[in-house]
Amino acid sequence: MESWDKIISMPLPGRTTKPRNSGYTMVIDKGLGVRAIEDLMETASNWIDNIKLTFGTSAFYQENLLRKKIDIITSAGIDIMPGGTYLEVAFWQGVLDNYLNKARQLGFTAMEVSDGTISIESNERENIIKKALDMDFKVITEVGKKDAKESLPHSKMHKLIAQDIRNGAFKVIIEAREAGKGVGIYDSSGAVKENDVNEIISGVEDIDCLLWEAPIKNQQQYLILKFGANVNLGNIPPDDILALEALRQGLRGDTLKRAYLKNPNYT
Amino acid sequence: MESWDKIISMPLPGRTTKPRNSGYTMVIDKGLGVRAIEDLMETASNWIDNIKLTFGTSAFYQENLLRKKIDIITSAGIDIMPGGTYLEVAFWQGVLDNYLNKARQLGFTAMEVSDGTISIESNERENIIKKALDMDFKVITEVGKKDAKESLPHSKMHKLIAQDIRNGAFKVIIEAREAGKGVGIYDSSGAVKENDVNEIISGVEDIDCLLWEAPIKNQQQYLILKFGANVNLGNIPPDDILALEALRQGLRGDTLKRAYLKNPNYT
Amino acid sequence: MESWDKIISMPLPGRTTKPRNSGYTMVIDKGLGVRAIEDLMETASNWIDNIKLTFGTSAFYQENLLRKKIDIITSAGIDIMPGGTYLEVAFWQGVLDNYLNKARQLGFTAMEVSDGTISIESNERENIIKKALDMDFKVITEVGKKDAKESLPHSKMHKLIAQDIRNGAFKVIIEAREAGKGVGIYDSSGAVKENDVNEIISGVEDIDCLLWEAPIKNQQQYLILKFGANVNLGNIPPDDILALEALRQGLRGDTLKRAYLKNPNYT
C-alpha cells in the first residue's frame, strides 16, 4: 500500500530537504544521553540540521561519551556545535586556538561565534570567524546580548549581520536564549514584538541568512506564518521537533488553518 | 516481605484497572522514540489506556519505525491513535478511505474524529464515525475548536456529545490542545473556568462518556477533586503519568489532603 | 591533547566533588525508566548527589523494576529516597516501621522526613528521624507546608531546623514543591522573595545545612549568585543537571557575567 505521504498532501508544501540552506532547524541540547540521541536520530534526523550543546555544557561530559555522542549525530548528517558562551569564555581567557583545536579533535563540525556576555571588538570577531573557517568549521554567528538591559540597536545589528555574512558565516542567529522571554524580539511573556522583527529584516539583504531562536510554539508559529514553512529556526527543544515539523508543513491547527481558509473545498 | 501496596492503603481507593471504562488516561505523544516508549511501557503501562500521536506527527516517521512503535504500545494493552488534525486533513483532501485503510494497516487501534480546524457537517461526522467503527477502530470524538475565537455554544456541544455517543463513540474529548491555555474550559493562564465545566456536564447524561484534556497539574487536580480518582483525562505529557497516578490515588499533597482531613486519626 | 577542562578554567572555581557536604544537588524524579536513568548516570552522575522518587510515585513501580532502578543509581554513588509524602501517608496510617523496613529492603539509602500535608508533632518527628537513622538511612528533613495558606512562621522554622540537625538530619529542605510557584520563598510567578530568604538564614547557624528546592532557572541563579557555586539545591528536573552545573561553574551567561565583570582582562 502507498506510504502515508503519498495519500495526503502537505497543506504547506515546498519543505526543503537536507542539506538545507533555508528551513534550517537547530536543536538546543542541554545534555541528552546516547539513548535519547539515538531515539532522536531515528525519529527526527530528517528534520534536524544542527544540534547545539548549549552554554558550556560540553565541559561536563566524559570525553569518551562526548565523542560517541558527536559520532552518532554527525553520522546522521547533522552538524554539531558547542554553545557560543563556551567560546566566549575561551576568548576571554586567551586560549581560543587551543579551544578550537580541541573542538575539532572531538569532532564538532560547526562553531557558534557570539558575544552575548563577553565583549568582543569587531576586528577580533572577524578574526575568530576566519580562524574557525580555516579549520573547516561551519560558522554560525549570533547577534544580541543575553542581558535585556544591553540590547543592541538595530542599526548596529544590521551592520554586524552584513559583516558576518561577508566574512563567511553560514547563518546569523537572532539571540533569544533558552527561555525565549524578555530578550531580543520577544517580550517578557514570550510574545513576538512585531516591530522589532520588521526593523531587523528591513536592514537585511537575504532573510535566509537569519536563524531565529524560537524555543516557544507561538514564536515558531508567528515566524512560519510570516516567512513560510522554510524559515530558519533555532533553540528548538528536542522533544518538539516533530511538533515543529507539523507546524511547518501545515499538519497542526495553527498553520493548517491558513491553508484551509485559502482553499476550503480543496480543489 | 509484603509488597508496598499491601503495607500502605491508597488514600483515594477504588482506582479502576485495565481495560477501563472510567479512569481512562490518554497520553499526548509528540514523537517519543522506541527507547523512551519502552521506558514508558515498563514504568507506566498499567496507568495508560491510550497514546495519541498528536497533530499530524505520524506523517514524519519512517514506516518501519512507526510500525515498531505501534507494536510495542499495542502489545502492552494500550490503544494508539493518530491526532484528529491528521484525519481532518484527510477528510478535507477527500482521501478519508485511504487514510483509514493506511492507519489500519499500520496497526493503529483507535481513531480520533474531530473538527477542531476543518468544518465537518453533522451528517459527514456521523459517516466518518461509522466508517471507522466498521473498520474496528475504537472511536474517540472531540468537541471544541482550537481557535478560541470560534468557541462552541454549550447547547451545540451537548447535542454533539449525545449524537456521537449514540453513533458509537467510546468517549468524547473536551478539547484543550497541548498547552491547556485559553481554550475550552481553561482561561489564558490555564485555570479552570468552573462555570463552563458545570454547564457542560449539565447537559450530559453519563459523565464517564467525557474525556477531559488536562495537560497541566492544576487542571488534573481540579477534575480529580470534582469527579473522583476515576475521571477520564487526556493530553497527559508522558513524563507526568506516575505523578498523575499519585494525584488520582491520593499519594500527592493536593489530593491526599482531602482524604486526610476527612479522617485525621485514620480509623 | 589536553582535556577540555585543562584548557579552559571554570569562571566560578572551587566546585566541590563527591561525596559532597556542600554543593549538593538533589534531582526530582517523576518516573524515569531505566534507559533514561542510564543516560542520566552516564552524562551527569558526577553532578548528582541524590535522586528523589517524588510524591508517592514509588508505589506504582513493579518491584523488579524499582530494584533495578535503585541499583543503577546507588552503583553510581548517588543516594535515592522516596518522596516525603509517601512517608507521611505511612505515618498517618500507623505503618511507619513496615514502611521503613520495606524501603530498606528495596535498597533506598536516604529518607525524606516531612510534614507538608500530614500533621506530625515535634516529638513524633524526632522519633521518626531516630528510627530512620537507626536503620542507616541518610535522613533529609523538610520544613514548610505544601498549602500556601498554612505557611510556617520563620521563628518556628528556625527552631525546627536546629532541632532536626541536632537530631541527626544531614540536610533540611526548604519546601518549594515541583513547580516552585506560590510556596515558601517563591511568589506566584516563581520569583524569589528576598526578604523571606534573608529571614530564614538569619536564624540558621550553618547555611550548608539547608537544601533549597529550586526547580526553576531564575531561582537557581539567584541562590548561586547569593550563596556561591556550592549552594545546596533540590527538585532539579533531570533534564537540567548540566545546565545547572553550567550556572554553578560560570559557563552560562547569568553567572559568567559576574566573573567577567570582576576581571574583564582576565589577569
Side-chain angles (χ1 to χ4, degrees):
Chain A
M1 189 172 180
E2 284 181 313
S3 72
W4 230 343
D5 57 348
K6 294 280 185 308
I7 297 172
I8 296 180
S9 306
M10 288 299 171
L12 300 188
R15 183 76 177 102
T16 51
T17 54
K18 288 167 77 167
R20 295 182 178 91
N21 183 47
S22 67
Y24 201 79
T25 295
M26 179 262 277
V27 167
I28 183 168
D29 176 332
K30 298 192 288 178
L32 297 177
V34 292
R35 291 161 197 79
I37 280 289
E38 281 168 348
D39 264 355
L40 189 64
M41 296 300 97
E42 287 176 12
T43 53
S45 66
N46 283 343
W47 318 110
I48 299 173
D49 303 286
N50 185 309
I51 294 180
K52 173 172 69 175
L53 303 192
T54 193
F55 327 128
T57 52
S58 334
F60 304 119
Y61 290 78
Q62 304 288 339
E63 190 161 320
N64 281 346
L65 181 72
L66 184 53
R67 287 179 184 279
K68 191 170 167 190
K69 180 167 172 175
I70 290 173
D71 186 51
I72 297 170
I73 289 169
T74 54
S75 298
I78 294 172
D79 277 314
I80 176 164
M81 64 187 186
T85 299
Y86 206 19
L87 177 137
E88 293 181 42
V89 172
F91 172 80
W92 170 48
Q93 296 187 354
V95 294
L96 187 72
D97 289 351
N98 280 348
Y99 173 79
L100 292 175
N101 276 321
K102 183 70 189 179
R104 196 75 203 135
Q105 189 206 346
L106 288 166
F108 285 99
T109 60
M111 192 54 61
E112 185 184 19
V113 178
S114 60
D115 61 352
T117 307
I118 305 290
S119 290
I120 300 184
E121 295 298 321
S122 173
N123 64 323
E124 288 163 335
R125 183 180 180 106
E126 191 170 338
N127 191 33
I128 297 171
I129 295 171
K130 196 176 172 318
K131 276 187 185 178
L133 287 172
D134 284 348
M135 293 173 71
D136 250 6
F137 288 110
K138 183 173 289 185
V139 171
I140 298 186
T141 64
E142 183 177 64
V143 294
K145 289 292 185 182
K146 293 192 184 297
D147 190 332
K149 282 169 270 171
E150 301 179 51
S151 78
L152 210 62
H154 290 129
S155 58
K156 213 167 163 184
M157 206 181 265
H158 293 150
K159 226 176 121 180
L160 212 47
I161 292 169
Q163 178 189 308
D164 286 354
I165 294 297
R166 206 168 49 238
N167 287 333
F170 173 64
K171 301 285 173 210
V172 181
I173 295 170
I174 308 296
E175 164 81 84
R177 311 202 65 183
E178 182 207 354
K181 292 183 178 178
V183 59
I185 61 170
Y186 307 119
D187 72 16
S188 62
S189 74
V192 180
K193 297 187 286 184
E194 303 203 34
N195 277 349
D196 284 32
V197 174
N198 288 328
E199 284 194 36
I200 289 174
I201 60 172
S202 74
V204 172
E205 212 167 310
D206 176 6
I207 284 174
D208 284 343
C209 288
L210 302 181
L211 198 172
W212 307 86
E213 290 188 345
I216 304 178
K217 184 211 133 190
N218 74 290
Q219 302 168 347
Q220 300 156 13
Q221 175 182 339
Y222 172 88
L223 293 162
I224 291 167
L225 289 176
K226 186 173 182 80
F227 297 114
N230 290 309
V231 62
N232 302 317
L233 298 172
N235 280 12
I236 307 300
D239 291 350
D240 287 346
I241 291 297
L242 295 194
L244 170 63
E245 207 52 40
L247 265 183
R248 283 187 185 277
Q249 304 202 37
L251 290 181
R252 191 166 179 183
D254 313 277
T255 53
L256 168 60
K257 192 165 184 183
R258 178 179 293 184
Y260 170 61
L261 290 178
K262 274 188 188 161
N263 183 12
N265 298 315
Y266 200 74
T267 54
Chain B
M1 189 171 180
E2 284 180 314
S3 73
W4 230 342
D5 57 349
K6 294 282 186 307
I7 296 172
I8 296 179
S9 306
M10 288 298 170
L12 299 189
R15 182 78 176 101
T16 51
T17 53
K18 288 168 77 167
R20 295 183 178 91
N21 183 47
S22 67
Y24 201 79
T25 296
M26 179 262 277
V27 167
I28 184 169
D29 176 332
K30 298 192 288 178
L32 297 177
V34 292
R35 292 161 196 79
I37 280 289
E38 281 168 347
D39 263 355
L40 189 64
M41 295 301 97
E42 287 176 12
T43 53
S45 67
N46 283 343
W47 317 108
I48 300 173
D49 304 285
N50 186 308
I51 294 179
K52 174 174 67 177
L53 303 192
T54 193
F55 327 127
T57 52
S58 335
F60 304 119
Y61 290 78
Q62 304 287 338
E63 190 162 321
N64 281 346
L65 180 72
L66 184 54
R67 287 178 185 278
K68 191 169 168 189
K69 181 167 172 176
I70 290 173
D71 187 52
I72 297 169
I73 289 169
T74 54
S75 298
I78 294 171
D79 277 314
I80 177 163
M81 63 187 186
T85 298
Y86 206 20
L87 177 137
E88 294 181 41
V89 172
F91 172 81
W92 169 50
Q93 297 188 353
V95 295
L96 187 70
D97 289 351
N98 280 348
Y99 173 79
L100 292 174
N101 276 321
K102 184 70 189 179
R104 196 75 204 137
Q105 188 208 347
L106 288 166
F108 285 100
T109 60
M111 192 54 59
E112 185 183 19
V113 177
S114 60
D115 62 350
T117 307
I118 305 291
S119 290
I120 300 184
E121 294 299 321
S122 174
N123 64 322
E124 288 162 337
R125 183 179 180 107
E126 192 171 336
N127 191 32
I128 298 171
I129 295 172
K130 195 175 171 320
K131 275 187 185 178
L133 287 172
D134 284 348
M135 294 174 70
D136 251 6
F137 288 110
K138 184 174 287 184
V139 171
I140 299 186
T141 63
E142 183 176 63
V143 294
K145 288 293 183 181
K146 293 193 183 298
D147 190 331
K149 283 170 268 169
E150 299 178 52
S151 78
L152 209 63
H154 290 129
S155 58
K156 212 167 163 184
M157 205 181 267
H158 293 149
K159 225 175 123 182
L160 213 48
I161 293 168
Q163 179 189 308
D164 285 355
I165 295 297
R166 207 168 49 237
N167 287 334
F170 173 64
K171 302 284 173 210
V172 181
I173 295 170
I174 309 296
E175 165 81 84
R177 312 202 65 184
E178 183 207 354
K181 292 182 178 176
V183 59
I185 61 169
Y186 307 119
D187 71 16
S188 61
S189 73
V192 179
K193 297 188 286 184
E194 303 204 34
N195 278 348
D196 284 32
V197 175
N198 288 328
E199 284 193 37
I200 289 174
I201 60 172
S202 75
V204 173
E205 211 167 310
D206 176 6
I207 284 174
D208 284 343
C209 288
L210 302 180
L211 198 172
W212 307 86
E213 290 188 345
I216 305 178
K217 184 210 134 191
N218 74 289
Q219 301 168 347
Q220 300 157 12
Q221 175 182 339
Y222 172 87
L223 293 164
I224 291 167
L225 289 176
K226 185 173 181 80
F227 297 115
N230 290 310
V231 64
N232 302 317
L233 298 173
N235 279 12
I236 307 299
D239 291 350
D240 287 346
I241 291 297
L242 295 194
L244 171 63
E245 207 51 40
L247 265 183
R248 283 186 184 278
Q249 304 202 39
L251 290 181
R252 190 165 179 183
D254 313 276
T255 53
L256 167 61
K257 191 164 184 184
R258 179 179 292 183
Y260 170 61
L261 291 178
K262 274 188 188 161
N263 183 11
N265 298 315
Y266 201 74
T267 54
Chain C
M1 189 172 181
E2 284 181 313
S3 72
W4 229 342
D5 58 349
K6 294 278 185 308
I7 297 171
I8 296 180
S9 306
M10 287 299 170
L12 300 188
R15 182 77 176 103
T16 52
T17 54
K18 287 166 77 168
R20 296 183 178 91
N21 182 48
S22 67
Y24 201 79
T25 296
M26 178 263 276
V27 167
I28 184 169
D29 176 332
K30 298 192 287 177
L32 297 177
V34 293
R35 292 161 196 79
I37 281 289
E38 281 168 349
D39 264 355
L40 189 64
M41 296 300 96
E42 287 175 13
T43 53
S45 67
N46 283 344
W47 318 109
I48 300 173
D49 303 285
N50 185 308
I51 294 180
K52 174 173 68 176
L53 304 192
T54 193
F55 327 127
T57 51
S58 334
F60 303 119
Y61 289 79
Q62 304 287 339
E63 189 162 321
N64 281 347
L65 181 72
L66 184 54
R67 286 179 186 279
K68 191 169 167 190
K69 180 167 173 177
I70 290 173
D71 187 52
I72 297 170
I73 289 169
T74 54
S75 298
I78 294 172
D79 278 314
I80 177 164
M81 63 189 186
T85 299
Y86 206 19
L87 177 137
E88 293 181 43
V89 173
F91 172 81
W92 169 50
Q93 297 187 354
V95 295
L96 187 71
D97 290 351
N98 279 348
Y99 173 79
L100 293 174
N101 277 320
K102 184 69 189 179
R104 197 75 205 136
Q105 190 207 345
L106 287 166
F108 284 100
T109 60
M111 192 53 61
E112 184 183 20
V113 178
S114 60
D115 62 350
T117 307
I118 305 291
S119 291
I120 300 184
E121 294 299 320
S122 173
N123 64 321
E124 288 164 335
R125 183 180 179 107
E126 192 171 337
N127 191 33
I128 297 171
I129 295 172
K130 196 176 171 319
K131 276 187 184 176
L133 287 172
D134 285 347
M135 293 174 70
D136 251 8
F137 286 110
K138 183 174 287 185
V139 172
I140 298 186
T141 63
E142 183 177 63
V143 294
K145 288 293 183 181
K146 293 194 185 294
D147 189 332
K149 281 169 271 171
E150 301 178 51
S151 79
L152 210 63
H154 290 129
S155 59
K156 213 167 162 184
M157 205 181 265
H158 293 149
K159 226 176 120 180
L160 212 48
I161 293 169
Q163 179 190 308
D164 285 355
I165 294 297
R166 206 168 50 236
N167 288 333
F170 173 65
K171 301 285 173 211
V172 182
I173 294 170
I174 310 296
E175 165 80 84
R177 311 203 65 183
E178 183 207 353
K181 292 184 177 176
V183 58
I185 61 170
Y186 307 119
D187 71 16
S188 61
S189 74
V192 180
K193 297 187 286 184
E194 303 204 36
N195 278 348
D196 284 33
V197 174
N198 288 328
E199 285 193 36
I200 289 174
I201 60 172
S202 73
V204 172
E205 212 167 309
D206 176 7
I207 283 173
D208 284 343
C209 288
L210 302 180
L211 197 171
W212 308 85
E213 289 187 345
I216 305 178
K217 183 210 134 190
N218 74 290
Q219 301 168 347
Q220 299 157 12
Q221 176 183 339
Y222 172 88
L223 293 163
I224 291 167
L225 289 176
K226 185 173 182 80
F227 297 115
N230 290 309
V231 63
N232 302 316
L233 297 173
N235 279 11
I236 307 300
D239 290 351
D240 287 345
I241 292 296
L242 294 194
L244 171 64
E245 207 52 41
L247 264 183
R248 283 187 185 277
Q249 304 202 38
L251 290 181
R252 190 166 179 183
D254 313 276
T255 53
L256 167 61
K257 191 163 185 184
R258 179 178 293 183
Y260 170 62
L261 290 178
K262 274 188 187 160
N263 183 12
N265 298 315
Y266 200 75
T267 55

